[in-house]
Amino acid sequence: MACLACPTTLRKPSKASKTEGLSSFRPTSATPFIGILGTYRQHHEIHTLSEAKFGFTRVMMEEMCMMVSIIAGFDPDNLHPRLAARDDTTLAQVTKGSTVSIVIPEGPFCRELGRLCDQDCMLIFGTSANATGQGQRFRLEDVGDEVLAHADLLVDYGLQKWHTYGSGAVNFHAQNIRVLRKGVAWEVFMDRAKRLFPQLLGEARGSFE
């Protein structure tokens, strides 16, 4: 297991193959709901959605390369092997009820990490690189020493391009068709969703918010 601080084009997250690596620098009381930094393949295999909604996420995240945190259900009675390999503590941090969040990142570096995880049947877990679980960090030098001290590898790409938003990714509940957090480029996400998928807008009773 390794823990690294590296860019995802919108912030400096910490990543690990086990959640122990992420919680080691953060008090238990401040440990957040941790997401999977993954691939479209992982999203399609782990989440339980209709093909119409998978079509939506494929267009938005694969064809239009939008970085969105997709929240959707999974089958707790028939766990995907990558989830089944996790211990109870890890599962409790990665899942919320019967939902799990998967972010498909932008950029070749993180996409390659995802490809390697698919190759080795692993998962990467990610959270913001700060000790409180609050706020984003957009430069490596803004990450506290208490976090960096636990990182096995630091990757410094300088200031991240989405820093002007001061936020992480859009959080989108794909089953309920709702934006739960207006993150980076959320107005672009909303415009494309309404323009390209009016049938889902109708299912959402005229609003994704």
Side-chain angles (χ1 to χ4, degrees):
M1 185 272 292
C3 184
L4 60 151
C6 65
T8 60
T9 75
L10 58 86
R11 59 178 177 164
K12 287 284 182 180
S14 295
K15 304 173 187 175
S17 56
K18 294 182 180 178
T19 60
E20 292 94 318
L22 297 177
S23 59
S24 60
F25 57 76
R26 184 175 294 163
T28 302
S29 60
T31 300
F33 173 47
I34 293 171
I36 295 171
L37 195 75
T39 63
Y40 187 82
R41 172 183 165 185
Q42 291 169 29
H43 157 58
H44 197 274
E45 291 180 356
I46 292 174
H47 281 150
T48 54
L49 289 171
S50 67
E51 284 307 310
K53 290 177 180 176
F54 276 128
F56 171 81
T57 58
R58 178 183 56 77
V59 169
M60 299 296 278
M61 295 189 294
E62 290 290 273
E63 295 184 11
M64 295 188 168
C65 297
M66 299 205 72
M67 186 166 176
V68 179
S69 175
I70 297 296
I71 299 164
F74 64 95
D75 186 351
D77 298 320
N78 185 26
L79 282 178
H80 187 277
R82 296 196 216 189
L83 289 179
R86 307 301 103 193
D87 57 36
D88 291 342
T89 300
T90 298
L91 274 178
Q93 289 181 277
V94 174
T95 61
K96 189 172 184 179
S98 59
T99 64
V100 63
S101 171
I102 300 178
V103 179
I104 300 175
E106 297 177 327
F109 181 84
C110 289
R111 292 266 174 152
E112 178 64 10
L113 286 181
R115 187 192 68 80
L116 292 173
C117 280
D118 282 345
Q119 180 177 298
D120 294 335
C121 295
M122 296 176 61
L123 290 174
I124 294 178
F125 306 107
T127 188
S128 300
N130 58 77
T132 65
Q134 301 297 318
Q136 309 296 325
R137 302 293 182 266
F138 301 97
R139 293 185 179 90
L140 187 64
E141 55 263 38
D142 295 333
V143 179
D145 291 339
E146 71 277 14
V147 173
L148 298 182
H150 294 278
D152 299 297
L153 177 66
L154 306 177
V155 180
D156 189 1
Y157 281 6
L159 183 64
Q160 299 308 290
K161 72 177 184 179
W162 295 115
H163 67 279
T164 54
Y165 281 85
S167 176
V170 170
N171 285 354
F172 184 71
H173 198 302
Q175 282 177 314
N176 297 339
I177 320 177
R178 286 288 182 270
V179 172
L180 303 183
R181 180 176 70 183
K182 295 179 180 180
V184 298
W186 74 270
E187 73 282 7
V188 178
F189 173 85
M190 294 288 284
D191 180 78
R192 291 174 175 176
K194 292 176 180 179
R195 186 183 303 272
L196 299 174
F197 294 90
Q199 71 278 17
L200 289 184
L201 182 62
E203 187 177 333
R205 298 183 179 181
S207 177
F208 291 124
E209 299 181 54

